Amino acid sequence: MAKASAQFTCTSCGAVHRKWTGRCDACGAWNSIVEEAPLSAGPKGAVSRGRSVALSTLQSDEPPPPRTLSGMAELDRVLGGGLVRASAILVGGDPGIGKSTLLLQAVAAFARGGLRCIYVSGEEASAQVRMRAQRLGLGDAPVSLAAETNLRDILTTLDEERPDLVVIDSIQTMWLDSVESAPGSVAQLRASAHELVTFAKRRGVSVVLVGHVTKDGQIAGPRVVEHMVDCVLYFEGERGHQFRILRAVKNRFGPADEIGVFEMTGAGLSEVSNPSALFLSERGQPAPGSVVFAGIEGTRPMLTEIQALVAPSPLSMPRRTVVGLDSGRLSTILAVLEARCGIPFTGLDVFLNVAGGMRVSEPAADLAVAAALLSAREDVALPADTVVFGEISLSGALRPVSQSENRLKEARKLGFTCAMLPAGGKLDREAGVGLREMTDLTGFVGEVFGAG
Ligand code: TYD
Ligand code: MG
């Protein structure tokens, strides 16, 4: 039999390659591939037949899994309506974004609600965690603390203590003595997460794993364990902004794409229950290049301001700078504007930004982006009381988007009286918002900017 050769694993996404390459084909990360010992092929010798597994049906009289609410409404929403027993949750995010703060507050809230909670820190000493808890006013919450990185010891402790909820901060610092590689390697990360997830299912304990998103290949990132857990949440935000967004990208017990909005203050994270009002609160007089987009995040409508700046460029390759939106999407919209409407952006620098550090990934933002670009280019401000949404197809046609009514309702709630949107969507005409419906981008340009 051929000798099992070493395998090469991407530390960013966990993809396995036969050869080392500088760039991972699966996720596109550079310099993220490391050599790993191959998985064991199992015991040698006679192949045993295995035993048959008991099968069951889909029918069940069991009630749905019980959920526990933390009382932090934004967190409960992202979890899909509370914490599910025996579930494994991964919370990823950049270092320093506030994961430890969020989980300390969450664990204190659950503990005050009667759950037995253990917080295991592999990064900070107990005294440091205690100090932070005191500063956040959580000193009285009945949370048990441990500072430990040896997973074998942690699992033994958990087996004795039988808690309801365990937070492991962070999974990259944990190590198992049975795995022969350094803490933070793909092999350690996989094995540790596997042990913890198995423990969660077997003992009915909810486990939260914290994972740092890493930029280089030294430490494996949380994407490596995404497939093992029930729920994947990412905590995001721009460094310069105080807003933080907790986003569910996978949830076996609830809707994905749901978001919770928090604000980082001197006394920890506080919840933002009306994000639209907050994201629009900094908006001043209507200015060219500023457009309000009526978006949907998960099940919740959310208004955000999209800002564009267009200026003559001294460069032979003009700049395209995007914050909070997909840069590929910007290129597409610029191409459609040029090819279908005859409005070129050659020789112009384009800057595009979503105010407040929000990230927008819906195609429904296309029309708002186009409107912001045109408004900046023509130096014409859109009316202050108008929201915009709609998808742009490559032909230049405008496509209706889902949940138009929810978007309009939210717009009306925040005092907007007019909406520009694609024609043909199913709508309640009595929404209380004036509708300017358009079928294609050329028509939009003509109607709004009198050009095209
Ligand atoms: P932390 O939760 O330690 O981040 P992570 O665990 O994701 O690495 O948060 C670190 C940042 O949060 C730090 O830069 C300071 C800031 N912060 C506040 O602004 N207010 C607070 O009350 C706390 C606890 C932290
Ligand atoms: Mg931390």
Side-chain angles (χ1 to χ4, degrees), residues 311-321 345-351:
S313 176
L315 307 171
S316 57
M317 282 262 288
R319 251 189 278 264
R320 303 283 182 253
T321 306
F345 283 78
T346 25
L348 296 171
D349 281 336
V350 174
F351 303 90

Side-chain angles (χ1 to χ4, degrees), residues 100 104 107 117-130 133 141-161 163 165-170 173-174 208 210:
S100 303
L104 193 58
V107 112
C117 300
I118 296 185
Y119 184 99
V120 183
S121 177
E123 301 188 337
E124 294 166 87
S126 295
Q128 280 173 305
V129 180
R130 211 172 292 129
V143 178
S144 309
L145 273 185
E148 183 55 64
T149 56
N150 183 336
L151 198 60
R152 195 70 58 206
D153 295 349
I154 294 172
L155 288 171
T156 309
T157 315
L158 296 181
D159 235 355
E160 286 163 9
E161 299 284 330
L165 171 65
V166 182
V167 174
I168 304 288
D169 187 5
S170 65
T173 55
M174 297 295 142
V208 178
V210 176

Side-chain angles (χ1 to χ4, degrees), residues 94-102 124 132 135-136 169 212 264-268:
D94 289 329
I97 202 76
K99 299 179 296 298
S100 303
T101 310
L102 174 73
E124 294 166 87
R132 181 189 307 211
R135 204 157 62 73
L136 300 179
D169 187 5
H212 294 291
M264 183 60 98
T265 67

Side-chain angles (χ1 to χ4, degrees), residues 167-365:
V167 174
I168 304 288
D169 187 5
S170 65
I171 183 73
Q172 278 123 335
T173 55
M174 297 295 142
W175 61 279
L176 270 171
D177 43 15
S178 55
V179 179
E180 271 181 44
S181 46
S185 63
V186 175
Q188 279 287 4
L189 197 65
R190 272 214 194 108
S192 305
H194 178 75
E195 289 282 333
L196 284 161
V197 171
T198 317
F199 175 83
K201 304 286 161 198
R202 214 178 44 222
R203 295 280 187 251
V205 176
S206 303
V207 174
V208 178
L209 310 176
V210 176
H212 294 291
V213 172
T214 53
K215 295 282 183 282
D216 62 16
Q218 297 303 310
I219 297 177
R223 290 190 59 186
V224 171
V225 295
E226 273 185 359
H227 64 283
M228 291 184 208
V229 296
D230 300 310
C231 186
V232 178
L233 313 180
Y234 277 96
F235 203 40
E236 8 180 277
E238 297 291 330
R239 270 299 168 84
H241 291 286
Q242 68 271 43
F243 308 123
R244 299 282 182 272
I245 288 155
L246 185 66
R247 188 184 295 273
V249 295
K250 162 180 170 181
N251 194 346
R252 286 185 182 148
F253 312 112
D257 283 335
E258 199 65 84
I259 70 167
V261 184
F262 296 88
E263 188 177 356
M264 183 60 98
T265 67
L269 290 157
S270 64
E271 296 176 63
V272 175
S273 48
N274 190 353
S276 296
L278 183 113
F279 286 126
L280 295 182
S281 64
E282 291 160 6
R283 210 164 62 106
Q285 287 300 308
S290 154
V291 168
V292 177
F293 165 55
I296 298 278
E297 290 291 341
T299 56
R300 179 160 60 164
M302 192 170 303
L303 304 191
T304 40
E305 183 189 355
I306 295 190
Q307 304 166 336
L309 177 66
V310 174
S313 176
L315 307 171
S316 57
M317 282 262 288
R319 251 189 278 264
R320 303 283 182 253
T321 306
V322 190
V323 179
L325 283 150
D326 179 36
S327 57
R329 211 59 211 164
L330 170 65
S331 308
T332 311
I333 294 168
L334 289 175
V336 174
L337 280 171
E338 172 149 12
R340 306 293 175 201
C341 311
I343 302 176
F345 283 78
T346 25
L348 296 171
D349 281 336
V350 174
F351 303 90
L352 194 66
N353 180 25
V354 182
M358 214 10 230
R359 191 137 86 214
V360 175
S361 53
E362 270 189 291

Side-chain angles (χ1 to χ4, degrees), residues 24-65:
C24 173
D25 292 336
C27 69
W30 286 95
N31 246 342
S32 63
I33 294 178
V34 294
E35 186 173 348
E36 255 198 332
L39 293 177
S40 141
K44 292 209 189 75
V47 180
S48 66
R49 243 190 102 231
R51 59 191 171 80
S52 61
V53 177
L55 304 176
S56 60
T57 64
L58 295 176
Q59 268 173 355
S60 153
D61 303 326
E62 277 177 42

